[in-house]
Amino acid sequence: MQRFLIAFAEKKAFYRSLIIQVFNKLIQVPSWAKAWEADRELHLKVQTLHEDLQSAIGAQHEVLKKSIAVSAMGSVSSVKEQPEEVLRAIEKERMIDAIKEEEDDDVDVTAEADAEQRTATALQEGIDAVTAIDEPAKMDSGGVLALNKLRIGCIRCAGEEDVFTQEVENAPNVFSFLFTLAKHKPETINGVAEVMNQLMASSSWCSVMEKNKFLQDCLRELPKGAQAVLGLQSDKVLALIDEDAKRMARGGDVPADLRTVAERMQSIRGPRKPATGGYTAGKVEPEKWKAIKTPEGHTYYYNSRSRESTWERPAELGGPMVYRSGDEVEVWSNGMRSWCKGKVYQVADGKVIADFALPDGSNARKELPSQHKDLRPLVARSDWSAEEKEAYQRWFNGIEGGSSSTKHAKPISQFLWKSQLPREALKQVWAVGNSGMKPNLKFEDFAKCCRLIAHCQAMDPAFVKEGERPLRVKLRSECVNAKPPALPKFEL
């Protein structure tokens, strides 16, 4: 085993962190340590490795340290993979494996890369999965999967303040998602608590929570027990929850398995590392308002500099919403957790009276302030053109299995491969077109994937081949509701 590890390290330095983790665990066993000491040939072999890697291996145990080259000795004390850090990395991998086992299918995580890139990308993918959930149906079908991707990202980045600071503009989306999921799916509170613990350990993300009244209101809308669990994750959160929830948290009136979340999360974080990037106290962040859509489709506005939030659209983004009689709108039904299409019947004294159809077919009328969160203009989506619909329907009908209305995801993915797009791009198309990772897709889902492929085929090939986050964001924000320049091409 030890000979294999050295030979593997020589050829596959790419897997440095995993190689060091294995060395760390094996050398803790006295019989394995003796076997290493007794084999002089191993000592010569380890000295053929790059000095940086030798130093990292030597840092794991005195027995290993004695074997490395003299020239590598000086770096042993300064390597980042000190034994306590390696043990934290091992625990992170164990937690991630446990999360994967919660799903019927493996959670799709990033391919092996250098440790720094992998941690940042894992968090980005978790945040993107959360951001894609902007309506109740997506929360119902893909909320747990998005949470698990976010859990993996936060575990990989535990203690890496730089990585969290770079993503702080997404904090309102993420916190809003967590509170909405905890409210409607109470069984997810353990995973939500894990994520909250890591996010509130970041000074940049903690600042958003402390200054954002909208998020604080969402937190206090949770059941008392859920508030208490989240309050245990951070003193800053504890200060924000209501008094009954505080008493529950302080009095130990929380299930035993949830009381240990904070301790587990701290064990993989280690000592706090100062941020070296992003905005710091010495830098002035530019004034910027941003529209944030909650997982239930409500829109509020967030100022990235002041951390202020408001339901009323600020002047920088067009000013307050203006409605007129006859305007097409959508009205939120709390009872049915659904946006319902309707029309403005009357506008007077800053209030809007709207008639709308409920999902069960009945009609309703509601009076709301013109800037109320439960009222929004009907967003005109780009329906399929006649040309698109004919082609997409023909291709959909030709896919084997399923029914006339739904098809299995696997044969659909096999069909999409015929577009000849690079794998990296198809991964992003699938992430946007089937954001909930549903096992069966309806025609609308399939048509969306086809449209995204058409857009990719019309883009710069180098950008598409890159296939990373910028492509996914572009597809989701600009392409999914826009008619492509031409129909997609498939090698049929």
Side-chain angles (χ1 to χ4, degrees):
M1 180 71 78
Q2 291 164 340
R3 290 174 187 272
F4 164 79
L5 282 172
I6 295 172
F8 188 81
E10 186 177 19
K11 299 289 186 183
K12 301 283 187 179
F14 201 63
Y15 293 90
R16 169 181 171 135
S17 62
L18 298 179
I19 292 165
I20 293 168
Q21 287 176 35
V22 177
F23 267 113
N24 179 288
K25 293 295 285 185
L26 295 182
I27 207 67
Q28 292 177 40
V29 183
S31 57
W32 285 69
K34 285 184 178 180
W36 178 275
E37 280 188 297
D39 195 331
R40 305 306 301 177
E41 187 177 344
L42 283 174
H43 302 183
L44 296 175
K45 284 184 176 294
V46 78
Q47 291 177 19
T48 65
L49 300 178
H50 190 282
E51 288 186 1
D52 282 351
L53 184 52
Q54 284 190 58
S55 300
I57 292 171
Q60 305 312 308
H61 197 281
E62 281 299 315
V63 168
L64 296 173
K65 185 177 178 181
K66 292 176 184 177
S67 305
I68 65 175
V70 175
S71 56
M73 290 286 289
S75 304
V76 169
S77 61
S78 61
V79 297
K80 61 183 179 181
E81 298 99 342
Q82 292 297 324
E84 62 275 12
E85 289 291 337
V86 174
L87 290 174
R88 274 193 279 272
I90 292 171
E91 178 62 11
K92 287 182 181 183
E93 296 299 332
R94 187 199 65 76
M95 287 183 175
I96 289 169
D97 285 343
I99 292 170
K100 292 180 185 178
E101 289 174 4
E102 294 176 13
E103 298 288 328
D104 291 333
D105 299 312
D106 284 349
V107 175
D108 182 27
V109 294
T110 55
E112 191 66 39
D114 66 84
E116 185 175 348
Q117 180 185 0
R118 185 170 63 156
T119 56
T121 303
L123 182 61
Q124 289 169 357
E125 292 200 347
I127 289 172
D128 285 349
V130 164
T131 303
I133 294 179
D134 56 4
E135 58 183 48
K138 292 181 181 178
M139 175 64 90
D140 292 341
S141 64
V144 174
L145 179 64
L147 173 66
N148 286 343
K149 283 193 172 187
L150 187 60
R151 289 168 71 191
I152 288 174
C154 286
I155 289 170
R156 288 218 184 278
C157 299
E160 301 289 341
E161 176 63 14
D162 267 352
V163 179
F164 284 104
T165 299
Q166 289 163 12
E167 298 297 327
V168 72
E169 68 175 26
N170 296 295
N173 292 84
V174 173
F175 283 127
S176 177
F177 165 83
L178 292 172
F179 299 147
T180 303
L181 187 68
K183 182 177 181 179
H184 294 293
K185 292 184 181 289
E187 67 275 13
T188 64
I189 190 62
N190 180 80
V192 171
E194 289 179 358
V195 174
M196 280 295 292
N197 185 282
Q198 297 297 351
L199 297 183
M200 292 302 292
S202 162
S203 58
S204 56
W205 285 61
C206 181
S207 173
V208 173
M209 190 67 212
E210 285 186 293
K211 296 179 180 180
N212 194 304
K213 186 177 183 302
F214 166 77
L215 294 174
Q216 294 169 18
D217 290 343
C218 290
L219 171 65
R220 286 189 287 268
E221 287 175 3
L222 293 176
K224 302 292 191 295
Q227 288 187 52
V229 172
L230 299 185
L232 290 174
Q233 307 314 311
S234 164
D235 289 341
K236 300 293 177 64
V237 176
L238 187 65
L240 297 173
I241 62 180
D242 70 25
E243 293 304 317
D244 288 341
K246 286 178 185 176
R247 283 191 285 273
M248 291 178 67
R250 290 167 175 160
D253 192 12
V254 171
D257 59 325
L258 296 175
R259 289 200 302 270
T260 62
V261 171
E263 183 180 351
R264 285 190 284 111
M265 292 298 104
Q266 174 59 43
S267 73
I268 62 171
R269 194 158 56 240
R272 173 170 287 190
K273 299 177 183 178
T276 57
Y279 291 111
T280 66
K283 297 181 181 179
V284 178
E285 188 171 353
E287 185 90 354
K288 183 181 178 182
W289 283 96
K290 181 180 180 182
I292 305 290
K293 186 170 279 192
T294 73
E296 292 186 327
H298 294 87
T299 299
Y300 73 99
Y301 303 92
Y302 169 71
N303 188 302
S304 59
R305 181 176 179 181
S306 68
R307 312 297 195 208
E308 175 189 0
S309 58
T310 177
W311 289 111
E312 185 171 308
R313 190 170 63 179
E316 291 84 344
L317 296 180
M321 292 289 184
V322 177
Y323 297 96
R324 296 177 179 82
S325 296
D327 284 354
E328 293 187 317
V329 293
E330 289 182 298
V331 181
W332 174 254
S333 168
N334 283 309
M336 298 192 175
R337 285 188 64 228
S338 175
W339 286 96
C340 308
K341 292 182 180 179
K343 283 189 176 184
V344 174
Y345 171 73
Q346 183 179 327
V347 179
D349 301 324
K351 292 187 177 180
V352 173
I353 299 175
D355 296 323
F356 57 97
L358 292 166
D360 62 7
S362 61
N363 295 317
R365 174 175 287 186
K366 187 179 283 190
E367 181 181 66
L368 295 166
S370 61
Q371 306 307 309
H372 199 278
K373 64 184 178 70
D374 289 348
L375 178 69
R376 69 185 187 188
L378 179 64
V379 178
R381 296 184 178 273
S382 176
D383 294 328
W384 317 118
S385 66
E387 185 183 29
E388 282 184 288
K389 189 169 184 179
E390 188 280 326
Y392 301 162
Q393 189 69 63
R394 174 163 37 86
W395 293 332
F396 185 75
N397 293 341
I399 293 175
E400 294 182 1
S403 66
S404 60
S405 59
T406 61
K407 301 288 184 180
H408 298 304
K410 186 173 182 179
I412 285 181
S413 67
Q414 291 171 338
F415 175 85
L416 298 180
W417 272 104
K418 297 176 182 178
S419 66
Q420 304 297 306
L421 283 179
R423 181 182 182 278
E424 296 84 354
L426 285 171
K427 179 181 177 182
Q428 307 310 329
V429 166
W430 194 250
V432 177
N434 184 21
S435 59
M437 296 301 167
K438 296 173 289 216
N440 297 296
L441 279 69
K442 296 180 180 179
F443 168 74
E444 288 288 319
D445 303 312
F446 172 77
K448 188 188 299 183
C449 291
C450 289
R451 172 176 278 186
L452 295 176
I453 282 176
H455 280 290
C456 286
Q457 290 175 338
M459 291 179 193
D460 174 24
F463 177 71
V464 172
K465 179 69 172 71
E466 187 82 12
E468 294 295 338
R469 193 184 200 187
L471 175 61
R472 182 163 65 251
V473 171
K474 185 178 181 68
L475 292 176
R476 185 173 63 238
S477 60
E478 299 178 23
C479 301
V480 74
N481 291 316
K483 181 182 175 182
L487 287 176
K489 296 180 178 65
F490 294 96
E491 294 292 330
L492 302 177

